[in-house]
Amino acid sequence: MDILFAQIQADLRSNDALRQSGALLQALQQSAAGRDISVIAKSAVEEIVASPASAVSKKLAFDLIRSTRLTADLWETVCTGIRNDLDFPDPDVTAAAVSILAAIPSYRLGKLINDCNKEISACFDSASDNLRFSITETLGCILARDDLVTLCENNINLLDRVSNWWSRIAQNMLDKSDAVSKVAFESIGKLFQEFESKRMSRLAGDKLVDTENSVAIRSNWISSMVDFVWKKRNALMSRSLILPVESFRATVYPLVYAVKAVASGSIEVIKKLSMASKSGSAGTPSDSGNAERFVGVSDVVSHLAPFLASSLDPALIFEVGINMLYLADVPGGKPEWASTSIIAILTLWDRQEYSSARESIVRAVVTNLHLLDLSMQVSLFKRLLLMVRNLRAESDRMHALACICRTALCVDLFAKESVRRGQKPLAGTDIASLFEDARVKDDLNSVTSKSLFREELVAMLVESCFQLSLPLPEQKSSGMESRVIGALAYGTGYGALNWTEPALEVVEVCRPCVKWDCDGRTYAIDCYLKLLVRLCHIYDTRGGVKRVKDGASQDQILNETRLQNLQRELVNDLREVNTPRICARLIWAISEHIDLEGLDPLLADDPEDPLNIIVSNIHKVLFNVDSSASTTNRPQDVQVVLLCAQRLGSRNARAGHLLTKELEEFRTHPSADSVNRHQCRLILQRIKYVSGRPDDKWAGVSEARGDYPFSHHKLTVQFYDASAAQDRKLEGLIHKAILELWRPDPNELTQLLTKGIDSNLIKVPPNAFTLSGSSDPCYVEGYHLTDPNDGRITLHLKVLNLTEIELNRVDIRVGLSGGLYFMDGSPQAVRQLRDLNSQEPVLCSVTVGVSHFERCALWVQVLYYPFYGSGVPADYEGTYPEEDPQIIRQKKGAKHEIGEPVILRCQPYKIPLTELLLPHKISPVEYFRLWPSLPAVVECTGTYTYEGSGFKATAAQQYGESPFLSGLKSLSSKPFHKVCSHIIRTVAGFQLCYAAKTWYGGFVGMMIFGASEVSRNVDLGDETTTMICKFVVRASDASITKEIGSDLQGWMDDLTDGTIEYMPEDEVKAAAAERLRTSMERIALLKAARPRPKTPKSDSEEEKEEEQGEDEQDTENKENEEGDGKTKGPSTLFKLTAEEVEHRALQVAVLQEWHMLCKDRSTKVN
């Protein structure tokens, strides 16, 4: 291998272009095979990059540089080489040099671009297509990057240059060369896309904080590009048509984005964000009237439409289709635009070569369903449900289902409202149209099914109905959502109960779901019954169908009749229920709300009478002994049925009579336990009391509350079987999809556009820590930023030269410990800073990845070279006059020697463990259900003192800030989710619960228990109170708690910024023992205060006994000797824990105090 490397290096040194390129190709092969080629890279930089060579060799050398790691010195050489090459007469060599700009590390890039700006600008005017292509492509990559925006913030000249280059790239979209034009379109598209998705580039490996200026700078570029595209749109469309058809795809997005921005008015807001608004930019498209905007949009649509029909390339059809849908949304957009694109996109479904993109096809169609006209939406439902059914990814399937269900409700409401307003009814707009397809219908009506799809569909429909019952979200900005919200608002007419009509249809259509057998899963059926109970409660089905003379409207009478009929059908379905757990729940749902007074008294003996069916099913549940614990929850089922019996019996005399017999029988049955028997006795007495006094029955006794107490949230006891786990998973997926669709978190950009710059998205830079010592010649401070999405941390350093002299060169070395690694795999990073003037701060940054949850630190060393660049060590003192020819000659002749560095080791920059966590939202019920099952636990105790005593020191203080929780203030800014909104607190203690996840998905739960006590040794002034906090951390993985437990004081410092002091366990025990001792002393005093026993003892004996009393606490059943030498029997003292003894001692002390007060009072009276 060494021989091969030596051969390659020899070839690189030769001046033969062929041998050089051959050697570079060999080196690239070695690099691809995973060998370390840093030796060769060094030769390549020195022999090829830094000296004249052919364009091919240059290109290959740059490829080699990209595939390996260079030291900071070599990067300097590369930068010098690039600067020379930019002036090179051969444009191909210049093009190669330009292409490597994107790989230059960001800390070196700003200076290089600044130095070479003339040469870079000249490349745009070059006659060579290759060079223009290279500069457009490279700058398109670099200029959109975050690190460059940050550089522009701090350097106004650079900002002007970059803005100028963007306009040059935009002009290149009309370039005569096809390749240049295509790459310019791509670059502008990239700029738009990053701004739109607000997913700022991570190409540079730096995820930087967005400040006000950086948003303004970006918006400025965007608004100028949009202006350019809008003004030149016709030329650009013509240019894109004469590109080769495979390049056409790149031209679609920039055109569409710019035209939409102008037509929808969002460009105005972008301008407000940008700096241009300050100078008042003239000639903006806001002058163009609505007509011109609309014509602009139509032009672009008619420019794109032919490609939907004639193109053979699926990717192009998809791109054009998506962008036309994006345009169909502008004010004045036509449904035909949307329908042609959706039809074209749907044709891709069956094309074999595009099968991998099925998820994106469905997502594109369902998110834009609302742009179509009603009849087309309805006709799509059948097709879409079959497509969704075949999607593999759960999240995609859920999102699509949520969209379809929302659209179905929307269509239903809209059509009904239109009919109310006198328009012609449209066929197939009701919810039942979702289930028209034979396969979906069969699935719904069959008892068993292999797929989960039907459960997902029913649960999603029902949950969407519940969303419809909530107030619709307010729409701040127009966009995709506003149409849906508008349609829903039109359909519900903002009426409080209009949502119940589609909900009623859902309940009717999905009725067969109560007969399903889902292997023990109940989530979908639970959802269904919850909606049923809610509707019955709203329409008060207990009171029978209201009449016109009671003030009921025709619609209401119709709806109530439908509900009554549905209840009768459900009563008949009770015999066919296949999931044991559902039987009791269905009885509950029906018996709570059925109209007992409306039953025909003549059919009382008919087994088909609803009441008889309910009672027979209650009997079945009560006496169902043989069911296994895994299929039913017998204690719960019996409870449910007994409650139903109590409510039914007290509502209706015949029901009371029937149920009395059942309950009497159940009381004597061996399967009833003592609790059930007592309960039966109580219920029988109630029923008897009510039946004896039919007239003075209070109507509110068994009022229906419309509550369905069986969904997962309410039940804390779960059987840990597979079906319950699947239920919870399904519930989580459905809730997530529904919330994303109905109550989406606004995009960061949308928030900025609506709230303006003052929004809380613009983050405050964090506090900086000083890393250098007080007397060091260089002052170093640093702060870090984290990016949990990528698992990266960036350390930003500020270096200040505190000496009087100018330091020509300073190296910053950064090493790592813990779970950190550099992106390029090198063991340490070096940043070379040149020419540090006295007292002038210089910034640099280092980005590292975090591989796992572990304590980690960055170790910084500063190497500075006082003699760098001067041949003579003493030269920097400047003792000789400059003109001395000997000195000048000596300077010329002297090699630039680095000289000996002075090394400063800074203190390590520790990354707090809490930085590797993210807040995890979780409901208190789920949290407490999860808490006991978390395997890994670590506990520790800490204390803090706060001023105030007595009433002020407790949590009881209602008004004003209690100093009670002062030590835990900083927790609010840490990445934890506070589980309970309130603090569970007693007068002198509290409990706080927090939940978080690590970046790598592990769950961390933390509870903090606090108890306060007044400090004893009080100086003059306010008393202080000590709060003892016990931290209990449980995690899903032992490695997490191990990491936390390895440095408990560090963990507390991370949590509370150093306000809490860690108490080791032995100190905690010692303090408890100390408290115990003082309380024992008090008890001894109390004993001494009692009247003496008959036989007086000497003092010494009494002391002995006291000592023995203390021993007795420690050793149980220990025999003690009394004063007269007899042995006592086994002691009856229990072995109490320290806490219990302390508790009792406190009680005794309080009583003693009270006795003393009483004595005082009696003496005063006497």
Side-chain angles (χ1 to χ4, degrees):
M1 193 51 65
D2 293 343
I3 300 170
L4 177 64
F5 277 15
Q7 179 61 50
I8 291 175
Q9 281 172 300
D11 283 349
L12 289 177
R13 287 192 201 100
S14 73
N15 278 335
D16 180 356
L18 267 178
R19 276 176 69 189
Q20 282 181 338
S21 49
L24 286 166
L25 283 169
Q26 268 184 315
L28 280 167
Q29 269 177 338
Q30 295 300 323
S31 169
R35 301 202 175 86
D36 180 20
I37 53 158
S38 40
V39 196
I40 299 175
K42 186 169 186 292
S43 318
V45 169
E46 285 162 0
E47 302 297 333
I48 292 177
V49 178
S51 45
S54 71
V56 177
S57 306
K58 290 269 186 194
K59 251 195 160 34
L60 289 171
F62 287 137
D63 285 342
L64 191 66
I65 288 173
R66 284 191 188 96
S67 69
T68 182
R69 301 193 300 269
L70 296 188
T71 61
D73 281 332
L74 283 177
W75 272 123
E76 285 298 326
T77 318
V78 170
C79 291
T80 317
I82 290 172
R83 283 167 64 177
N84 297 338
D85 284 350
L86 286 176
D87 295 332
F88 202 75
D90 179 0
D92 290 346
V93 171
T94 312
V98 164
S99 68
I100 190 66
L101 282 177
I104 300 280
S106 52
Y107 62 86
R108 191 66 192 76
L109 185 64
K111 189 163 185 292
L112 182 65
I113 289 185
N114 245 341
D115 295 347
C116 308
N117 68 80
K118 283 199 189 73
E119 291 86 343
I120 291 177
S121 302
C123 294
F124 281 109
D125 302 323
S126 159
S128 153
D129 290 351
N130 184 12
L131 180 51
R132 289 202 310 281
F133 172 85
S134 185
I135 192 75
T136 312
E137 182 184 43
T138 308
L139 286 186
C141 285
I142 297 177
L143 300 188
R145 274 183 357 195
D146 275 359
D147 52 340
L148 202 101
V149 177
T150 314
L151 288 172
C152 289
E153 256 184 85
N154 305 324
N155 183 339
I156 203 75
N157 297 340
L158 184 61
L159 176 59
D160 292 344
R161 279 171 199 144
V162 172
S163 307
N164 191 18
W165 288 338
W166 269 122
S167 56
R168 296 304 301 265
I169 292 178
Q171 286 158 17
N172 275 356
M173 291 197 281
L174 297 168
D175 193 272
K176 62 177 194 285
S177 151
D178 285 344
V180 175
S181 174
K182 179 196 169 195
V183 84
F185 271 112
E186 275 174 357
S187 301
I188 300 293
K190 199 178 294 164
L191 177 70
F192 287 160
Q193 203 148 15
E194 292 203 341
F195 187 71
E196 181 59 24
S197 58
K198 201 74 176 55
R199 194 175 54 247
M200 296 309 186
S201 80
R202 300 191 177 136
L203 297 173
D206 283 359
K207 183 78 176 61
L208 304 161
V209 170
D210 265 339
T211 60
E212 197 171 318
N213 295 347
S214 69
V215 174
I217 288 171
R218 262 177 207 282
S219 346
N220 197 2
W221 294 342
I222 295 280
S223 62
S224 60
M225 293 299 100
V226 168
D227 281 0
F228 178 84
V229 176
W230 174 254
K231 285 175 188 152
K232 301 266 186 187
R233 60 184 183 278
N234 292 327
L236 289 169
M237 286 191 273
S238 314
R239 179 70 187 92
S240 67
L241 287 175
I242 55 173
L243 279 176
V245 73
E246 59 273 11
S247 308
F248 180 79
R249 207 176 129 206
T251 67
V252 180
Y253 182 70
L255 263 172
V256 168
Y257 180 85
V259 170
K260 165 124 187 216
V262 173
S264 64
S266 62
I267 184 68
E268 304 303 323
V269 197
I270 293 176
K271 287 210 153 105
K272 271 186 203 153
L273 287 178
S274 77
M275 296 172 168
S277 60
K278 292 170 193 163
S279 55
S281 52
T284 60
S286 58
D287 313 339
S288 58
N290 277 343
E292 190 189 339
R293 292 179 181 195
F294 183 64
V295 169
V297 176
S298 310
D299 286 350
V300 174
V301 170
S302 45
H303 158 71
L304 294 176
F307 287 90
L308 287 178
S310 60
S311 171
L312 294 173
D313 174 20
L316 178 59
I317 293 179
F318 189 70
E319 181 78 18
V320 171
I322 288 280
N323 281 293
M324 272 180 66
L325 285 172
Y326 187 61
L327 277 182
D329 197 30
V330 300
K334 297 180 182 160
E336 298 86 79
W337 300 349
S339 54
T340 45
S341 345
I342 281 189
I343 292 167
I345 289 176
L346 286 176
T347 55
L348 297 176
W349 180 266
D350 301 318
R351 290 182 63 163
Q352 196 53 49
E353 75 269 38
Y354 210 59
S355 60
S356 56
R358 290 190 155 184
E359 275 82 3
S360 42
I361 290 176
V362 171
R363 192 166 267 258
V365 175
V366 292
T367 40
N368 293 293
L369 262 178
H370 55 273
L371 298 175
L372 303 172
D373 51 8
L374 285 191
S375 51
M376 176 133 182
Q377 292 187 20
V378 172
S379 60
L380 265 178
F381 284 155
K382 272 192 276 186
R383 172 89 197 267
L384 275 174
L385 277 177
L386 287 180
M387 290 165 76
V388 170
R389 197 193 181 108
N390 294 321
L391 289 185
R392 293 180 304 279
E394 278 164 342
S395 55
D396 286 311
R397 203 165 61 231
M398 291 303 168
H399 173 262
L401 267 180
C403 287
I404 292 171
C405 291
R406 180 173 75 168
T407 312
L409 291 171
C410 211
V411 167
D412 186 66
L413 278 165
F414 198 83
K416 281 199 176 66
E417 183 64 22
S418 304
V419 171
R420 253 185 238 128
R421 296 186 182 189
Q423 290 169 13
K424 231 177 21 200
L426 198 69
T429 51
D430 49 356
I431 298 287
S433 64
L434 274 180
F435 298 95
E436 261 174 19
D437 183 79
R439 279 174 63 188
V440 178
K441 205 173 213 161
D442 293 347
D443 220 3
L444 185 70
N445 289 307
S446 65
V447 171
T448 53
S449 165
K450 287 194 179 69
S451 77
L452 269 169
F453 179 71
R454 60 181 190 170
E455 293 170 53
E456 292 169 358
L457 178 58
V458 168
M460 190 66 86
L461 247 181
V462 172
E463 292 286 3
S464 302
C465 287
F466 279 124
Q467 284 298 324
L468 200 54
S469 69
L470 300 170
L472 296 171
E474 225 179 299
Q475 267 313 105
K476 287 267 188 342
S477 65
S478 67
M480 307 290 249
E481 287 306 298
S482 53
R483 289 202 176 205
V484 185
I485 305 290
L488 290 173
Y490 169 82
T492 51
Y494 290 106
L497 286 183
N498 286 9
W499 72 273
T500 55
E501 294 196 357
L504 189 55
E505 280 196 17
V506 168
V507 176
E508 286 176 341
V509 172
C510 302
R511 196 193 94 222
C513 75
V514 293
K515 301 182 201 167
W516 287 351
D517 176 14
C518 306
D519 306 330
R521 293 186 299 275
T522 61
Y523 176 62
I525 311 176
D526 274 334
C527 285
Y528 172 80
L529 290 176
K530 191 156 76 176
L531 182 61
L532 174 76
V533 168
R534 175 84 66 92
L535 288 175
C536 290
H537 180 60
I538 287 174
Y539 280 112
D540 184 28
T541 48
R542 261 186 189 195
V545 178
K546 318 294 178 296
R547 289 166 303 180
V548 176
K549 68 175 188 188
D550 300 334
S553 65
Q554 289 298 328
D555 280 352
Q556 190 183 344
I557 294 173
L558 180 68
N559 290 343
E560 292 192 2
T561 317
R562 283 163 67 185
L563 262 176
Q564 296 282 357
N565 296 338
L566 180 71
Q567 280 184 333
R568 301 261 161 90
E569 288 166 353
L570 281 168
V571 169
N572 294 330
D573 289 342
L574 261 173
R575 304 161 181 168
E576 301 172 47
V577 170
N578 287 298
T579 308
R581 274 184 207 176
I582 290 300
C583 190
R585 298 178 185 188
L586 186 55
I587 292 175
W588 168 281
I590 297 169
S591 65
E592 272 288 270
H593 296 276
I594 196 165
D595 174 22
L596 290 175
E597 311 303 327
L599 297 180
D600 189 343
L602 298 175
L603 295 177
D605 299 332
D606 181 8
E608 291 301 309
D609 178 67
L611 184 58
N612 291 339
I613 296 177
I614 290 176
V615 172
S616 66
N617 275 286
I618 285 181
H619 176 91
K620 200 165 84 182
V621 174
L622 287 178
F623 295 99
N624 173 14
V625 189
D626 52 308
S627 68
S628 63
S630 62
T631 55
T632 63
N633 183 351
R634 180 168 162 73
Q636 187 198 334
D637 289 352
V638 171
Q639 281 298 318
V640 170
V641 171
L642 288 176
L643 278 175
C644 286
Q646 174 185 323
R647 295 180 150 192
L648 271 176
S650 48
R651 260 170 62 197
N652 179 281
R654 180 159 76 91
H657 181 64
L658 290 171
L659 288 165
T660 306
K661 279 198 293 194
E662 289 294 338
L663 293 174
E664 289 286 5
E665 190 185 339
F666 180 60
R667 269 177 75 185
T668 54
H669 195 269
S671 68
D673 56 23
S674 58
V675 176
N676 290 340
R677 287 189 191 124
H678 282 300
Q679 215 169 348
C680 286
R681 203 183 85 236
L682 189 68
I683 293 170
L684 285 167
Q685 282 176 346
R686 282 194 169 192
I687 294 176
K688 187 176 157 195
Y689 181 85
V690 170
S691 57
R693 301 174 173 69
D695 299 332
D696 42 0
K697 182 173 72 171
W698 177 49
V701 165
S702 55
E703 186 66 67
R705 287 207 287 284
D707 190 21
Y708 178 76
F710 307 103
S711 57
H712 283 312
H713 290 306
K714 303 267 177 65
L715 274 183
T716 46
V717 180
Q718 269 303 323
F719 288 86
Y720 284 100
D721 52 2
S723 60
Q726 275 175 311
D727 266 344
R728 277 212 281 285
K729 182 180 177 193
L730 180 61
E731 180 186 21
L733 285 166
I734 285 181
H735 280 226
K736 187 166 174 247
I738 288 247
L739 280 178
E740 275 177 9
L741 188 67
W742 288 80
R743 305 266 183 274
D745 287 333
N747 173 350
E748 281 184 31
L749 181 66
T750 325
Q751 275 181 316
L752 270 178
L753 297 183
T754 48
K755 293 184 186 165
I757 276 295
D758 54 283
S759 101
N760 53 2
L761 289 170
I762 290 161
K763 308 175 190 78
V764 196
N767 299 331
F769 293 98
T770 307
L771 300 179
S772 53
S774 52
S775 56
D776 287 350
C778 279
Y779 167 79
V780 183
E781 72 171 18
Y783 67 89
H784 72 278
L785 301 171
T786 54
D787 176 20
N789 308 324
D790 283 359
R792 295 181 183 180
I793 292 179
T794 305
L795 174 66
H796 293 265
L797 294 171
K798 181 158 96 179
V799 183
L800 189 64
N801 172 12
L802 297 179
T803 59
E804 292 296 312
I805 55 173
E806 178 183 331
L807 296 175
N808 292 334
R809 171 170 168 178
V810 173
D811 287 0
I812 306 278
R813 281 192 202 161
V814 183
L816 308 174
S817 62
L820 300 178
Y821 62 92
F822 286 109
M823 298 297 156
D824 57 2
S826 53
Q828 63 172 351
V830 180
R831 296 282 179 271
Q832 284 188 3
L833 310 174
R834 297 288 166 94
D835 309 330
L836 267 73
N837 295 327
S838 179
Q839 305 296 336
E840 197 176 288
V842 177
L843 306 173
C844 65
S845 69
V846 177
T847 298
V848 292
V850 188
S851 56
H852 54 275
F853 184 81
E854 187 186 353
R855 281 180 194 287
C856 38
L858 294 123
W859 302 72
V860 181
Q861 274 187 357
V862 181
L863 287 76
Y864 76 102
Y865 300 85
F867 313 118
Y868 175 75
S870 58
V872 190
D875 190 64
Y876 72 96
E877 290 171 5
T879 43
Y880 301 102
E882 277 297 315
E883 297 79 28
D884 190 334
Q886 188 191 354
I887 295 291
I888 292 174
R889 233 191 347 270
Q890 199 175 351
K891 267 191 177 176
K892 277 183 187 164
K895 276 209 339 264
H896 277 300
E897 281 180 17
I898 296 179
E900 279 299 306
V902 177
I903 300 177
L904 303 177
R905 286 184 181 78
C906 301
Q907 55 186 6
Y909 186 93
K910 289 183 179 156
I911 305 291
L913 255 186
T914 47
E915 287 289 298
L916 306 183
L917 296 174
L918 291 170
H920 177 60
K921 280 191 180 164
I922 186 171
S923 70
V925 172
E926 279 179 292
Y927 181 78
F928 289 115
R929 191 197 293 144
L930 191 64
W931 179 259
S933 62
L934 293 169
V937 189
V938 62
E939 297 183 7
C940 54
T941 310
T943 59
Y944 63 89
T945 53
Y946 61 98
E947 295 210 342
S949 61
F951 187 67
K952 276 190 186 157
T954 66
Q957 186 179 354
Q958 296 275 323
Y959 307 106
E961 265 298 293
S962 167
F964 192 63
L965 290 169
S966 59
L968 299 172
K969 263 186 197 153
S970 54
L971 257 174
S972 58
S973 60
K974 299 286 181 259
F976 281 98
H977 170 67
K978 198 171 183 181
V979 175
C980 305
S981 54
H982 58 283
I983 303 166
I984 303 170
R985 58 190 187 180
T986 58
V987 175
F990 61 83
Q991 176 190 349
L992 293 162
C993 306
Y994 291 98
K997 272 197 158 168
T998 65
W999 287 5
Y1000 309 95
F1003 180 82
V1004 182
M1006 178 168 71
M1007 285 195 197
I1008 306 175
F1009 302 93
S1012 63
E1013 51 180 56
V1014 178
S1015 313
R1016 275 187 217 85
N1017 40 358
V1018 181
D1019 292 339
L1020 290 171
D1022 252 358
E1023 274 193 21
T1024 58
T1025 306
T1026 305
M1027 177 69 76
I1028 297 178
C1029 298
K1030 177 143 192 156
F1031 292 80
V1032 183
V1033 179
R1034 294 190 85 138
S1036 55
D1037 187 8
S1039 62
I1040 298 174
T1041 47
K1042 182 171 170 246
E1043 207 43 57
I1044 290 171
S1046 62
D1047 176 10
L1048 290 167
Q1049 178 66 61
W1051 168 246
M1052 289 189 185
D1053 289 347
D1054 294 348
L1055 280 180
T1056 60
D1057 296 341
T1059 51
I1060 286 192
E1061 190 183 342
Y1062 168 63
M1063 258 178 101
E1065 210 51 38
D1066 45 356
E1067 276 185 39
V1068 176
K1069 282 179 185 154
E1074 172 65 22
R1075 287 202 293 276
L1076 177 62
R1077 199 176 63 73
T1078 54
S1079 51
M1080 290 302 297
E1081 281 170 7
R1082 283 182 193 159
I1083 292 174
L1085 283 172
L1086 290 176
K1087 273 187 189 166
R1090 275 192 226 140
R1092 286 174 173 274
K1094 301 259 176 17
T1095 52
K1097 292 181 193 170
S1098 65
D1099 283 350
S1100 61
E1101 280 171 349
E1102 205 163 333
E1103 273 171 46
K1104 248 189 220 167
E1105 195 171 331
E1106 249 180 48
E1107 282 167 20
Q1108 283 158 4
E1110 281 180 4
D1111 293 346
E1112 259 173 39
Q1113 279 294 330
D1114 299 336
T1115 55
E1116 203 174 347
N1117 301 338
K1118 192 176 179 187
E1119 296 189 349
N1120 291 324
E1121 289 178 348
E1122 252 180 75
D1124 55 0
K1126 287 180 195 166
T1127 54
K1128 229 186 355 178
S1131 135
T1132 52
L1133 273 175
F1134 291 101
K1135 183 153 192 184
L1136 294 175
T1137 62
E1139 284 89 348
E1140 285 167 356
V1141 172
E1142 180 183 1
H1143 190 69
R1144 290 183 183 189
L1146 282 171
Q1147 284 176 326
V1148 172
V1150 170
L1151 285 172
Q1152 170 71 3
E1153 189 86 359
W1154 187 67
H1155 278 303
M1156 295 302 292
L1157 285 171
C1158 291
K1159 267 188 197 164
D1160 287 353
R1161 210 171 299 147
S1162 57
T1163 50
K1164 275 176 195 164
V1165 172
N1166 293 337

